Amino acid sequence: MSVDTQKIIEIVKQVKPLFLDREGSSQIKVKGVADFVTQIDFKVQAQVKTALYELYPEIQFMGEEKDNSDIDFDGDVWILDPVDGTTNLIHDFRNSTLSLALARKGVLTLGIIYHPYSDEIFVAERGKGALLNGSPISVSKRQNFSECLISIGTSPYYRELAKENFRIFEKVFTDCADIRRLGSAALELAYVAAGRIDAYFERSLKPWDYAAGMLLVEEAGGKVTDYKGKPVDITGNSDIVAGNRAIGEILVEKYL
C-alpha cells in the first residue's frame, strides 16, 4: 500500500498555529533532567495521529508522547516527534520542528521535517531524492574540515556525558571553521541535507529525533552512521553522525 505524500504534507503543515500558541507552550511538565513537555507537544501529536489514522488506520503510530512498547517494526510504522526542540519552544527560541517518518519493515521510506516559523518543509522519499519546499537539495561538497560548519548535540538528558562530549567539541571546534547548536536534532539533520551545515553529531538520540532527518540526509547524497561508523538501527536509541561522506568519515575516524 502506498501513501499519498502530498496529503501527509498537508496534515503536517496544519500544525503551524499550535507552534505559535505562546500560552500553550507555557504549560510545562518536567519529564526528567532538561526534559520538558508542553501542551503544544500533546496537541500536535493528537492532531497528527488522528489525521493519519483517518487516512491509514492499518499503520502503527510511534510518538514521543506515548507508550510505544507495542510497536512492531516488522510492519509499517509512523514515527513522530510532535515538537523536536521543546526547550526552544518554551523559550520562544524559534528552532522547533515537527519530524515525521514512515518505516516499512524497518526501512525508512518517507521523511518530513517541518519548520513552522520559516514555513520550510523538508521532504524525502526513498529513491526520489530530498526536497525543500519542492526544490531539490543536496549535502555540501566541502572536503576540507577546516572550512566546515559543524553542528553539535549536547545530549542534555544525559549530563553524565558532558565531560566527554565537551572534550570532543573542543577538538572539533579547534579544527573546523565554527560550530553550531540549534537545539533540534531534526532541524540539524535537515540543515545537513540542505548543505547549510556540513555535519552534525550527537549521542543517544531516539528514533523520533533522527528517523526523518536520516532519510533526508541519505536522499540528499549524505551518510548517517553511529559513532563507530556503523549503520543505524532505527528501532532504538543511537548515537548519530550525519554529513557529506568525507566529513562524516573524518569525524568518526579522528574525533569520536
Side-chain angles (χ1 to χ4, degrees):
M1 181 201 68
S2 62
V3 299
D4 187 327
T5 300
Q6 195 55 48
K7 286 184 178 179
I8 305 305
I9 290 172
E10 291 169 6
I11 289 170
V12 165
K13 295 191 77 170
Q14 287 172 4
V15 306
K16 181 174 182 176
L18 293 173
F19 275 77
L20 302 178
D21 176 8
R22 293 303 302 149
E23 182 179 349
S25 63
S26 68
Q27 299 177 37
I28 304 163
K29 177 182 177 182
V30 179
K31 296 194 289 184
V33 176
D35 190 3
F36 309 103
V37 62
T38 72
Q39 285 301 309
I40 304 305
D41 298 70
F42 290 119
K43 288 180 179 179
V44 170
Q45 179 161 299
Q47 180 172 309
V48 173
K49 180 181 178 182
T50 298
L52 291 175
Y53 268 135
E54 286 179 355
L55 287 176
Y56 308 106
E58 67 281 11
I59 299 180
Q60 303 168 82
F61 181 86
M62 169 185 269
E64 180 176 10
E65 310 306 336
K66 68 180 282 287
D67 178 6
N68 297 297
S69 58
D70 61 339
I71 296 296
D72 179 8
F73 274 96
D74 286 334
D76 294 350
V77 184
W78 294 113
I79 306 172
L80 175 72
D81 193 338
V83 179
D84 189 56
T86 298
T87 301
N88 286 348
L89 182 75
I90 291 167
H91 291 269
D92 201 24
F93 186 76
R94 298 187 164 207
N95 276 339
S96 303
T97 60
L98 178 148
S99 177
L100 177 67
L102 177 61
R104 308 197 114 152
K105 295 185 177 181
V107 177
L108 294 169
T109 60
L110 175 65
I112 299 173
I113 294 173
Y114 179 46
H115 191 323
Y117 305 102
S118 64
D119 225 24
E120 290 185 318
I121 191 154
F122 302 80
V123 179
E125 295 181 78
R126 182 162 296 279
K128 296 184 179 181
L131 305 173
L132 167 54
N133 289 352
S135 297
I137 53 175
S138 65
V139 296
S140 81
K141 294 180 171 56
R142 293 184 183 86
Q143 306 287 301
N144 189 337
F145 197 80
S146 66
E147 299 173 351
C148 288
L149 189 61
I150 308 294
S151 192
I152 63 171
T154 55
S155 307
Y157 308 155
Y158 307 100
R159 297 300 168 105
E160 67 275 13
L161 300 176
K163 186 174 182 179
E164 176 63 12
N165 276 339
F166 280 85
R167 182 190 67 79
I168 295 169
F169 299 158
E170 182 179 8
K171 289 171 59 180
V172 170
F173 172 69
T174 299
D175 292 349
C176 72
D178 207 348
I179 59 176
R180 292 291 183 268
R181 166 65 171 151
L182 302 180
S184 164
L187 187 61
E188 283 158 318
L189 288 164
Y191 279 11
V192 169
R196 297 173 180 175
I197 293 170
D198 298 291
Y200 158 70
F201 63 97
E202 185 162 9
R203 295 280 300 275
S204 212
L205 293 175
K206 294 179 171 59
W208 46 79
D209 296 318
Y210 66 77
M214 178 174 165
L215 185 61
L216 272 162
V217 171
E218 292 174 345
E219 288 296 318
K223 188 175 182 180
V224 181
T225 70
D226 65 13
Y227 272 33
K228 295 181 179 180
K230 303 296 184 183
V232 173
D233 178 359
I234 67 164
T235 66
N237 289 16
S238 180
D239 303 335
I240 293 292
V241 183
N244 72 41
R245 291 177 179 270
I247 302 305
E249 287 176 4
I250 290 172
L251 276 171
V252 169
E253 293 171 4
K254 186 174 180 181
Y255 299 95
L256 303 177

